[in-house]
Amino acid sequence: MTKRSDPVIRVGASIIQHGPHNNRIYLMRLHPDDCDRVLRWIEETLETERYSKVFAKVPATSAPAFLKEGFTVEAEIPGFYPDGTACFFLGKYTDPARQKYNGSGVSETLEISWQRAGTGHPPLQEGFSIREASGSDAKSLAEIYASVFPTYPFPIDDPDYISDLIVSGDVRFFLLLYGDEIVAVSSAELDSSSKTVEMTDFATLPSARGAGAAGALLAHMEGNVFKDGFHLAYTICRGEEPPVNILFARGGYHYAGTLPNNTQIGGGFESMNVWYKPLTSGSL
């Protein structure tokens, strides 16, 4: 049975996820003409739904309007947009308790990660290979995600959902195989308007842990999206999970900030760290 998740809708030409599963509004993509309309929609929705957090990803040029309405900057990625504009990750809380998080756990994870910064990832071990997923792999992908994550902010344990993403071309899934067996997976969420890509949905079966699966997948995805003209990669990852933070630190990603109690994943709300990396021929 597919686990709960929140629906994704459009407000004007902007994309928003909201619902009780994450108990939040997530402004995923703001169209430049929608700023006032989206802010009105957020306020009206908070009045009716009483969500405890709003999480907004917006260009720096639009941020002042959000800051005026009580948002604060939680992370910033410089040079996110093709014209050099930064992207701000903003938060607003109706429940002050949600803004408080275990800062020591995040700090310890970051310290461990920074110690490994820029050390790179080992080459793919013999017997392993990587290929991009097709629609026929949707069932296998969903089964792996269902086995690894008790809860997740999007319904990636639903084969139909994954198949639709693959067909749309907005998300590319990648598979790490040992022989013919899929042992690890990941995805690249493409934003053609900003030419950025979110590296996400990493999952490795117990049989392949310790084999450098995630590092190999990350490097493979970077090379593929760079060839297609994407100039920056980023991730929003679990703030108190050292392995995934080390993964990005080793790969040359820069820390951009922490989003308190942001995401329903692994059975409860977790704070998330934002990492980013400009993609150039010299960085791959």
Side-chain angles (χ1 to χ4, degrees), residues 258-281:
T258 298
L259 317 174
N261 296 313
N262 193 69
T263 305
Q264 169 72 261
I265 186 171
F269 288 124
E270 295 192 16
S271 298
M272 308 293 280
N273 289 334
V274 181
W275 297 82
Y276 71 95
K277 177 181 179 179
L279 298 177
T280 66
S281 57

mmCIF file with all atom_site columns, all heavy atoms in Angstrom, residues 258-281:
data_model
loop_
_atom_site.group_PDB
_atom_site.id
_atom_site.type_symbol
_atom_site.label_atom_id
_atom_site.label_alt_id
_atom_site.label_comp_id
_atom_site.label_asym_id
_atom_site.label_entity_id
_atom_site.label_seq_id
_atom_site.pdbx_PDB_ins_code
_atom_site.Cartn_x
_atom_site.Cartn_y
_atom_site.Cartn_z
_atom_site.occupancy
_atom_site.B_iso_or_equiv
_atom_site.pdbx_formal_charge
_atom_site.auth_seq_id
_atom_site.auth_comp_id
_atom_site.auth_asym_id
_atom_site.auth_atom_id
_atom_site.pdbx_PDB_model_num
ATOM 1   N N   . THR A 1 258 ? 20.604 25.164 7.030   1.00 0.00 ? 258 THR A N   1
ATOM 2   C CA  . THR A 1 258 ? 19.789 24.085 7.596   1.00 0.00 ? 258 THR A CA  1
ATOM 3   C C   . THR A 1 258 ? 18.334 24.522 7.697   1.00 0.00 ? 258 THR A C   1
ATOM 4   O O   . THR A 1 258 ? 18.039 25.653 8.110   1.00 0.00 ? 258 THR A O   1
ATOM 5   C CB  . THR A 1 258 ? 20.309 23.686 8.991   1.00 0.00 ? 258 THR A CB  1
ATOM 6   O OG1 . THR A 1 258 ? 21.646 23.198 8.876   1.00 0.00 ? 258 THR A OG1 1
ATOM 7   C CG2 . THR A 1 258 ? 19.432 22.614 9.620   1.00 0.00 ? 258 THR A CG2 1
ATOM 8   N N   . LEU A 1 259 ? 17.425 23.624 7.341   1.00 0.00 ? 259 LEU A N   1
ATOM 9   C CA  . LEU A 1 259 ? 15.986 23.870 7.376   1.00 0.00 ? 259 LEU A CA  1
ATOM 10  C C   . LEU A 1 259 ? 15.402 23.113 8.577   1.00 0.00 ? 259 LEU A C   1
ATOM 11  O O   . LEU A 1 259 ? 15.280 21.893 8.548   1.00 0.00 ? 259 LEU A O   1
ATOM 12  C CB  . LEU A 1 259 ? 15.333 23.379 6.081   1.00 0.00 ? 259 LEU A CB  1
ATOM 13  C CG  . LEU A 1 259 ? 16.076 23.705 4.776   1.00 0.00 ? 259 LEU A CG  1
ATOM 14  C CD1 . LEU A 1 259 ? 15.383 23.033 3.592   1.00 0.00 ? 259 LEU A CD1 1
ATOM 15  C CD2 . LEU A 1 259 ? 16.166 25.213 4.572   1.00 0.00 ? 259 LEU A CD2 1
ATOM 16  N N   . PRO A 1 260 ? 15.037 23.809 9.661   1.00 0.00 ? 260 PRO A N   1
ATOM 17  C CA  . PRO A 1 260 ? 14.573 23.122 10.871  1.00 0.00 ? 260 PRO A CA  1
ATOM 18  C C   . PRO A 1 260 ? 13.271 22.334 10.659  1.00 0.00 ? 260 PRO A C   1
ATOM 19  O O   . PRO A 1 260 ? 12.340 22.831 10.026  1.00 0.00 ? 260 PRO A O   1
ATOM 20  C CB  . PRO A 1 260 ? 14.347 24.270 11.867  1.00 0.00 ? 260 PRO A CB  1
ATOM 21  C CG  . PRO A 1 260 ? 15.206 25.389 11.367  1.00 0.00 ? 260 PRO A CG  1
ATOM 22  C CD  . PRO A 1 260 ? 15.170 25.261 9.864   1.00 0.00 ? 260 PRO A CD  1
ATOM 23  N N   . ASN A 1 261 ? 13.260 21.120 11.203  1.00 0.00 ? 261 ASN A N   1
ATOM 24  C CA  . ASN A 1 261 ? 12.036 20.303 11.228  1.00 0.00 ? 261 ASN A CA  1
ATOM 25  C C   . ASN A 1 261 ? 11.244 20.425 9.941   1.00 0.00 ? 261 ASN A C   1
ATOM 26  O O   . ASN A 1 261 ? 10.041 20.672 9.949   1.00 0.00 ? 261 ASN A O   1
ATOM 27  C CB  . ASN A 1 261 ? 11.164 20.696 12.418  1.00 0.00 ? 261 ASN A CB  1
ATOM 28  C CG  . ASN A 1 261 ? 11.837 20.407 13.737  1.00 0.00 ? 261 ASN A CG  1
ATOM 29  O OD1 . ASN A 1 261 ? 12.377 19.328 13.954  1.00 0.00 ? 261 ASN A OD1 1
ATOM 30  N ND2 . ASN A 1 261 ? 11.846 21.378 14.635  1.00 0.00 ? 261 ASN A ND2 1
ATOM 31  N N   . ASN A 1 262 ? 11.909 20.178 8.839   1.00 0.00 ? 262 ASN A N   1
ATOM 32  C CA  . ASN A 1 262 ? 11.336 20.533 7.547   1.00 0.00 ? 262 ASN A CA  1
ATOM 33  C C   . ASN A 1 262 ? 10.525 19.434 6.887   1.00 0.00 ? 262 ASN A C   1
ATOM 34  O O   . ASN A 1 262 ? 9.539  19.714 6.214   1.00 0.00 ? 262 ASN A O   1
ATOM 35  C CB  . ASN A 1 262 ? 12.461 20.950 6.598   1.00 0.00 ? 262 ASN A CB  1
ATOM 36  C CG  . ASN A 1 262 ? 11.963 21.618 5.346   1.00 0.00 ? 262 ASN A CG  1
ATOM 37  O OD1 . ASN A 1 262 ? 11.455 22.733 5.394   1.00 0.00 ? 262 ASN A OD1 1
ATOM 38  N ND2 . ASN A 1 262 ? 12.079 20.927 4.221   1.00 0.00 ? 262 ASN A ND2 1
ATOM 39  N N   . THR A 1 263 ? 10.939 18.187 7.091   1.00 0.00 ? 263 THR A N   1
ATOM 40  C CA  . THR A 1 263 ? 10.441 17.127 6.211   1.00 0.00 ? 263 THR A CA  1
ATOM 41  C C   . THR A 1 263 ? 10.056 15.886 6.991   1.00 0.00 ? 263 THR A C   1
ATOM 42  O O   . THR A 1 263 ? 10.784 15.450 7.883   1.00 0.00 ? 263 THR A O   1
ATOM 43  C CB  . THR A 1 263 ? 11.530 16.764 5.175   1.00 0.00 ? 263 THR A CB  1
ATOM 44  O OG1 . THR A 1 263 ? 11.920 17.950 4.479   1.00 0.00 ? 263 THR A OG1 1
ATOM 45  C CG2 . THR A 1 263 ? 11.025 15.734 4.182   1.00 0.00 ? 263 THR A CG2 1
ATOM 46  N N   . GLN A 1 264 ? 8.927  15.290 6.621   1.00 0.00 ? 264 GLN A N   1
ATOM 47  C CA  . GLN A 1 264 ? 8.489  14.014 7.175   1.00 0.00 ? 264 GLN A CA  1
ATOM 48  C C   . GLN A 1 264 ? 9.225  12.897 6.432   1.00 0.00 ? 264 GLN A C   1
ATOM 49  O O   . GLN A 1 264 ? 8.959  12.604 5.271   1.00 0.00 ? 264 GLN A O   1
ATOM 50  C CB  . GLN A 1 264 ? 6.984  13.871 7.004   1.00 0.00 ? 264 GLN A CB  1
ATOM 51  C CG  . GLN A 1 264 ? 6.392  12.506 7.279   1.00 0.00 ? 264 GLN A CG  1
ATOM 52  C CD  . GLN A 1 264 ? 6.380  12.146 8.751   1.00 0.00 ? 264 GLN A CD  1
ATOM 53  O OE1 . GLN A 1 264 ? 7.253  11.426 9.213   1.00 0.00 ? 264 GLN A OE1 1
ATOM 54  N NE2 . GLN A 1 264 ? 5.388  12.636 9.472   1.00 0.00 ? 264 GLN A NE2 1
ATOM 55  N N   . ILE A 1 265 ? 10.199 12.313 7.096   1.00 0.00 ? 265 ILE A N   1
ATOM 56  C CA  . ILE A 1 265 ? 10.999 11.265 6.470   1.00 0.00 ? 265 ILE A CA  1
ATOM 57  C C   . ILE A 1 265 ? 11.541 10.362 7.570   1.00 0.00 ? 265 ILE A C   1
ATOM 58  O O   . ILE A 1 265 ? 11.870 10.824 8.663   1.00 0.00 ? 265 ILE A O   1
ATOM 59  C CB  . ILE A 1 265 ? 12.151 11.876 5.624   1.00 0.00 ? 265 ILE A CB  1
ATOM 60  C CG1 . ILE A 1 265 ? 12.900 10.794 4.849   1.00 0.00 ? 265 ILE A CG1 1
ATOM 61  C CG2 . ILE A 1 265 ? 13.089 12.689 6.468   1.00 0.00 ? 265 ILE A CG2 1
ATOM 62  C CD1 . ILE A 1 265 ? 13.900 11.366 3.850   1.00 0.00 ? 265 ILE A CD1 1
ATOM 63  N N   . GLY A 1 266 ? 11.582 9.077  7.300   1.00 0.00 ? 266 GLY A N   1
ATOM 64  C CA  . GLY A 1 266 ? 12.116 8.154  8.288   1.00 0.00 ? 266 GLY A CA  1
ATOM 65  C C   . GLY A 1 266 ? 11.254 8.020  9.528   1.00 0.00 ? 266 GLY A C   1
ATOM 66  O O   . GLY A 1 266 ? 11.721 7.572  10.570  1.00 0.00 ? 266 GLY A O   1
ATOM 67  N N   . GLY A 1 267 ? 9.982  8.429  9.460   1.00 0.00 ? 267 GLY A N   1
ATOM 68  C CA  . GLY A 1 267 ? 9.076  8.227  10.580  1.00 0.00 ? 267 GLY A CA  1
ATOM 69  C C   . GLY A 1 267 ? 8.802  9.452  11.426  1.00 0.00 ? 267 GLY A C   1
ATOM 70  O O   . GLY A 1 267 ? 8.054  9.374  12.397  1.00 0.00 ? 267 GLY A O   1
ATOM 71  N N   . GLY A 1 268 ? 9.386  10.606 11.102  1.00 0.00 ? 268 GLY A N   1
ATOM 72  C CA  . GLY A 1 268 ? 9.125  11.821 11.871  1.00 0.00 ? 268 GLY A CA  1
ATOM 73  C C   . GLY A 1 268 ? 9.682  13.036 11.160  1.00 0.00 ? 268 GLY A C   1
ATOM 74  O O   . GLY A 1 268 ? 10.325 12.926 10.113  1.00 0.00 ? 268 GLY A O   1
ATOM 75  N N   . PHE A 1 269 ? 9.451  14.230 11.728  1.00 0.00 ? 269 PHE A N   1
ATOM 76  C CA  . PHE A 1 269 ? 9.994  15.448 11.139  1.00 0.00 ? 269 PHE A CA  1
ATOM 77  C C   . PHE A 1 269 ? 11.504 15.490 11.349  1.00 0.00 ? 269 PHE A C   1
ATOM 78  O O   . PHE A 1 269 ? 11.988 15.235 12.450  1.00 0.00 ? 269 PHE A O   1
ATOM 79  C CB  . PHE A 1 269 ? 9.359  16.690 11.762  1.00 0.00 ? 269 PHE A CB  1
ATOM 80  C CG  . PHE A 1 269 ? 7.930  16.898 11.346  1.00 0.00 ? 269 PHE A CG  1
ATOM 81  C CD1 . PHE A 1 269 ? 6.925  17.009 12.287  1.00 0.00 ? 269 PHE A CD1 1
ATOM 82  C CD2 . PHE A 1 269 ? 7.589  16.992 10.008  1.00 0.00 ? 269 PHE A CD2 1
ATOM 83  C CE1 . PHE A 1 269 ? 5.606  17.198 11.908  1.00 0.00 ? 269 PHE A CE1 1
ATOM 84  C CE2 . PHE A 1 269 ? 6.279  17.185 9.614   1.00 0.00 ? 269 PHE A CE2 1
ATOM 85  C CZ  . PHE A 1 269 ? 5.290  17.291 10.564  1.00 0.00 ? 269 PHE A CZ  1
ATOM 86  N N   . GLU A 1 270 ? 12.222 15.850 10.297  1.00 0.00 ? 270 GLU A N   1
ATOM 87  C CA  . GLU A 1 270 ? 13.672 15.955 10.386  1.00 0.00 ? 270 GLU A CA  1
ATOM 88  C C   . GLU A 1 270 ? 14.127 17.286 9.807   1.00 0.00 ? 270 GLU A C   1
ATOM 89  O O   . GLU A 1 270 ? 13.556 17.795 8.837   1.00 0.00 ? 270 GLU A O   1
ATOM 90  C CB  . GLU A 1 270 ? 14.360 14.804 9.639   1.00 0.00 ? 270 GLU A CB  1
ATOM 91  C CG  . GLU A 1 270 ? 14.074 13.448 10.252  1.00 0.00 ? 270 GLU A CG  1
ATOM 92  C CD  . GLU A 1 270 ? 14.978 12.349 9.692   1.00 0.00 ? 270 GLU A CD  1
ATOM 93  O OE1 . GLU A 1 270 ? 16.017 12.685 9.066   1.00 0.00 ? 270 GLU A OE1 1
ATOM 94  O OE2 . GLU A 1 270 ? 14.656 11.169 9.879   1.00 0.00 ? 270 GLU A OE2 1
ATOM 95  N N   . SER A 1 271 ? 15.183 17.838 10.427  1.00 0.00 ? 271 SER A N   1
ATOM 96  C CA  . SER A 1 271 ? 15.822 19.021 9.868   1.00 0.00 ? 271 SER A CA  1
ATOM 97  C C   . SER A 1 271 ? 16.683 18.596 8.688   1.00 0.00 ? 271 SER A C   1
ATOM 98  O O   . SER A 1 271 ? 17.250 17.495 8.679   1.00 0.00 ? 271 SER A O   1
ATOM 99  C CB  . SER A 1 271 ? 16.673 19.709 10.932  1.00 0.00 ? 271 SER A CB  1
ATOM 100 O OG  . SER A 1 271 ? 15.869 20.133 12.011  1.00 0.00 ? 271 SER A OG  1
ATOM 101 N N   . MET A 1 272 ? 16.779 19.476 7.695   1.00 0.00 ? 272 MET A N   1
ATOM 102 C CA  . MET A 1 272 ? 17.455 19.127 6.454   1.00 0.00 ? 272 MET A CA  1
ATOM 103 C C   . MET A 1 272 ? 18.581 20.122 6.172   1.00 0.00 ? 272 MET A C   1
ATOM 104 O O   . MET A 1 272 ? 18.436 21.333 6.397   1.00 0.00 ? 272 MET A O   1
ATOM 105 C CB  . MET A 1 272 ? 16.459 19.137 5.294   1.00 0.00 ? 272 MET A CB  1
ATOM 106 C CG  . MET A 1 272 ? 15.195 18.307 5.535   1.00 0.00 ? 272 MET A CG  1
ATOM 107 S SD  . MET A 1 272 ? 15.476 16.526 5.643   1.00 0.00 ? 272 MET A SD  1
ATOM 108 C CE  . MET A 1 272 ? 15.580 16.126 3.897   1.00 0.00 ? 272 MET A CE  1
ATOM 109 N N   . ASN A 1 273 ? 19.707 19.605 5.683   1.00 0.00 ? 273 ASN A N   1
ATOM 110 C CA  . ASN A 1 273 ? 20.824 20.445 5.271   1.00 0.00 ? 273 ASN A CA  1
ATOM 111 C C   . ASN A 1 273 ? 20.792 20.642 3.761   1.00 0.00 ? 273 ASN A C   1
ATOM 112 O O   . ASN A 1 273 ? 20.463 19.720 3.010   1.00 0.00 ? 273 ASN A O   1
ATOM 113 C CB  . ASN A 1 273 ? 22.161 19.818 5.666   1.00 0.00 ? 273 ASN A CB  1
ATOM 114 C CG  . ASN A 1 273 ? 22.399 19.860 7.156   1.00 0.00 ? 273 ASN A CG  1
ATOM 115 O OD1 . ASN A 1 273 ? 21.862 20.717 7.855   1.00 0.00 ? 273 ASN A OD1 1
ATOM 116 N ND2 . ASN A 1 273 ? 23.204 18.937 7.660   1.00 0.00 ? 273 ASN A ND2 1
ATOM 117 N N   . VAL A 1 274 ? 21.151 21.834 3.331   1.00 0.00 ? 274 VAL A N   1
ATOM 118 C CA  . VAL A 1 274 ? 21.227 22.164 1.905   1.00 0.00 ? 274 VAL A CA  1
ATOM 119 C C   . VAL A 1 274 ? 22.697 22.253 1.500   1.00 0.00 ? 274 VAL A C   1
ATOM 120 O O   . VAL A 1 274 ? 23.482 22.947 2.155   1.00 0.00 ? 274 VAL A O   1
ATOM 121 C CB  . VAL A 1 274 ? 20.506 23.496 1.599   1.00 0.00 ? 274 VAL A CB  1
ATOM 122 C CG1 . VAL A 1 274 ? 20.583 23.813 0.097   1.00 0.00 ? 274 VAL A CG1 1
ATOM 123 C CG2 . VAL A 1 274 ? 19.055 23.439 2.065   1.00 0.00 ? 274 VAL A CG2 1
ATOM 124 N N   . TRP A 1 275 ? 23.064 21.535 0.440   1.00 0.00 ? 275 TRP A N   1
ATOM 125 C CA  . TRP A 1 275 ? 24.411 21.559 -0.126  1.00 0.00 ? 275 TRP A CA  1
ATOM 126 C C   . TRP A 1 275 ? 24.293 21.868 -1.620  1.00 0.00 ? 275 TRP A C   1
ATOM 127 O O   . TRP A 1 275 ? 23.314 21.484 -2.262  1.00 0.00 ? 275 TRP A O   1
ATOM 128 C CB  . TRP A 1 275 ? 25.095 20.199 0.033   1.00 0.00 ? 275 TRP A CB  1
ATOM 129 C CG  . TRP A 1 275 ? 25.336 19.738 1.440   1.00 0.00 ? 275 TRP A CG  1
ATOM 130 C CD1 . TRP A 1 275 ? 24.452 19.123 2.277   1.00 0.00 ? 275 TRP A CD1 1
ATOM 131 C CD2 . TRP A 1 275 ? 26.560 19.828 2.177   1.00 0.00 ? 275 TRP A CD2 1
ATOM 132 N NE1 . TRP A 1 275 ? 25.035 18.829 3.473   1.00 0.00 ? 275 TRP A NE1 1
ATOM 133 C CE2 . TRP A 1 275 ? 26.337 19.243 3.446   1.00 0.00 ? 275 TRP A CE2 1
ATOM 134 C CE3 . TRP A 1 275 ? 27.830 20.335 1.878   1.00 0.00 ? 275 TRP A CE3 1
ATOM 135 C CZ2 . TRP A 1 275 ? 27.338 19.161 4.419   1.00 0.00 ? 275 TRP A CZ2 1
ATOM 136 C CZ3 . TRP A 1 275 ? 28.821 20.247 2.850   1.00 0.00 ? 275 TRP A CZ3 1
ATOM 137 C CH2 . TRP A 1 275 ? 28.566 19.674 4.103   1.00 0.00 ? 275 TRP A CH2 1
ATOM 138 N N   . TYR A 1 276 ? 25.313 22.538 -2.178  1.00 0.00 ? 276 TYR A N   1
ATOM 139 C CA  . TYR A 1 276 ? 25.265 22.868 -3.603  1.00 0.00 ? 276 TYR A CA  1
ATOM 140 C C   . TYR A 1 276 ? 26.654 22.790 -4.220  1.00 0.00 ? 276 TYR A C   1
ATOM 141 O O   . TYR A 1 276 ? 27.678 22.867 -3.523  1.00 0.00 ? 276 TYR A O   1
ATOM 142 C CB  . TYR A 1 276 ? 24.674 24.263 -3.823  1.00 0.00 ? 276 TYR A CB  1
ATOM 143 C CG  . TYR A 1 276 ? 25.593 25.389 -3.381  1.00 0.00 ? 276 TYR A CG  1
ATOM 144 C CD1 . TYR A 1 276 ? 26.450 26.021 -4.293  1.00 0.00 ? 276 TYR A CD1 1
ATOM 145 C CD2 . TYR A 1 276 ? 25.620 25.808 -2.056  1.00 0.00 ? 276 TYR A CD2 1
ATOM 146 C CE1 . TYR A 1 276 ? 27.305 27.035 -3.874  1.00 0.00 ? 276 TYR A CE1 1
ATOM 147 C CE2 . TYR A 1 276 ? 26.466 26.818 -1.642  1.00 0.00 ? 276 TYR A CE2 1
ATOM 148 C CZ  . TYR A 1 276 ? 27.311 27.426 -2.556  1.00 0.00 ? 276 TYR A CZ  1
ATOM 149 O OH  . TYR A 1 276 ? 28.166 28.421 -2.146  1.00 0.00 ? 276 TYR A OH  1
ATOM 150 N N   . LYS A 1 277 ? 26.660 22.670 -5.552  1.00 0.00 ? 277 LYS A N   1
ATOM 151 C CA  . LYS A 1 277 ? 27.927 22.569 -6.293  1.00 0.00 ? 277 LYS A CA  1
ATOM 152 C C   . LYS A 1 277 ? 27.741 23.116 -7.704  1.00 0.00 ? 277 LYS A C   1
ATOM 153 O O   . LYS A 1 277 ? 26.909 22.604 -8.460  1.00 0.00 ? 277 LYS A O   1
ATOM 154 C CB  . LYS A 1 277 ? 28.373 21.099 -6.371  1.00 0.00 ? 277 LYS A CB  1
ATOM 155 C CG  . LYS A 1 277 ? 29.627 20.852 -7.181  1.00 0.00 ? 277 LYS A CG  1
ATOM 156 C CD  . LYS A 1 277 ? 29.938 19.355 -7.206  1.00 0.00 ? 277 LYS A CD  1
ATOM 157 C CE  . LYS A 1 277 ? 31.151 19.022 -8.011  1.00 0.00 ? 277 LYS A CE  1
ATOM 158 N NZ  . LYS A 1 277 ? 31.452 17.557 -7.994  1.00 0.00 ? 277 LYS A NZ  1
ATOM 159 N N   . PRO A 1 278 ? 28.498 24.139 -8.099  1.00 0.00 ? 278 PRO A N   1
ATOM 160 C CA  . PRO A 1 278 ? 28.483 24.560 -9.500  1.00 0.00 ? 278 PRO A CA  1
ATOM 161 C C   . PRO A 1 278 ? 29.086 23.441 -10.362 1.00 0.00 ? 278 PRO A C   1
ATOM 162 O O   . PRO A 1 278 ? 30.111 22.854 -10.002 1.00 0.00 ? 278 PRO A O   1
ATOM 163 C CB  . PRO A 1 278 ? 29.381 25.806 -9.510  1.00 0.00 ? 278 PRO A CB  1
ATOM 164 C CG  . PRO A 1 278 ? 29.414 26.277 -8.085  1.00 0.00 ? 278 PRO A CG  1
ATOM 165 C CD  . PRO A 1 278 ? 29.322 25.028 -7.256  1.00 0.00 ? 278 PRO A CD  1
ATOM 166 N N   . LEU A 1 279 ? 28.447 23.157 -11.473 1.00 0.00 ? 279 LEU A N   1
ATOM 167 C CA  . LEU A 1 279 ? 28.925 22.101 -12.351 1.00 0.00 ? 279 LEU A CA  1
ATOM 168 C C   . LEU A 1 279 ? 29.752 22.723 -13.483 1.00 0.00 ? 279 LEU A C   1
ATOM 169 O O   . LEU A 1 279 ? 29.253 23.522 -14.269 1.00 0.00 ? 279 LEU A O   1
ATOM 170 C CB  . LEU A 1 279 ? 27.748 21.320 -12.939 1.00 0.00 ? 279 LEU A CB  1
ATOM 171 C CG  . LEU A 1 279 ? 26.853 20.593 -11.930 1.00 0.00 ? 279 LEU A CG  1
ATOM 172 C CD1 . LEU A 1 279 ? 25.691 19.915 -12.645 1.00 0.00 ? 279 LEU A CD1 1
ATOM 173 C CD2 . LEU A 1 279 ? 27.658 19.566 -11.121 1.00 0.00 ? 279 LEU A CD2 1
ATOM 174 N N   . THR A 1 280 ? 31.019 22.368 -13.505 1.00 0.00 ? 280 THR A N   1
ATOM 175 C CA  . THR A 1 280 ? 31.934 22.818 -14.557 1.00 0.00 ? 280 THR A CA  1
ATOM 176 C C   . THR A 1 280 ? 32.757 21.627 -15.000 1.00 0.00 ? 280 THR A C   1
ATOM 177 O O   . THR A 1 280 ? 32.780 20.587 -14.323 1.00 0.00 ? 280 THR A O   1
ATOM 178 C CB  . THR A 1 280 ? 32.878 23.916 -14.042 1.00 0.00 ? 280 THR A CB  1
ATOM 179 O OG1 . THR A 1 280 ? 33.759 23.349 -13.039 1.00 0.00 ? 280 THR A OG1 1
ATOM 180 C CG2 . THR A 1 280 ? 32.105 25.082 -13.434 1.00 0.00 ? 280 THR A CG2 1
ATOM 181 N N   . SER A 1 281 ? 33.421 21.758 -16.117 1.00 0.00 ? 281 SER A N   1
ATOM 182 C CA  . SER A 1 281 ? 34.245 20.640 -16.594 1.00 0.00 ? 281 SER A CA  1
ATOM 183 C C   . SER A 1 281 ? 35.334 20.295 -15.590 1.00 0.00 ? 281 SER A C   1
ATOM 184 O O   . SER A 1 281 ? 35.750 19.136 -15.483 1.00 0.00 ? 281 SER A O   1
ATOM 185 C CB  . SER A 1 281 ? 34.869 20.995 -17.950 1.00 0.00 ? 281 SER A CB  1
ATOM 186 O OG  . SER A 1 281 ? 35.624 22.186 -17.861 1.00 0.00 ? 281 SER A OG  1
#
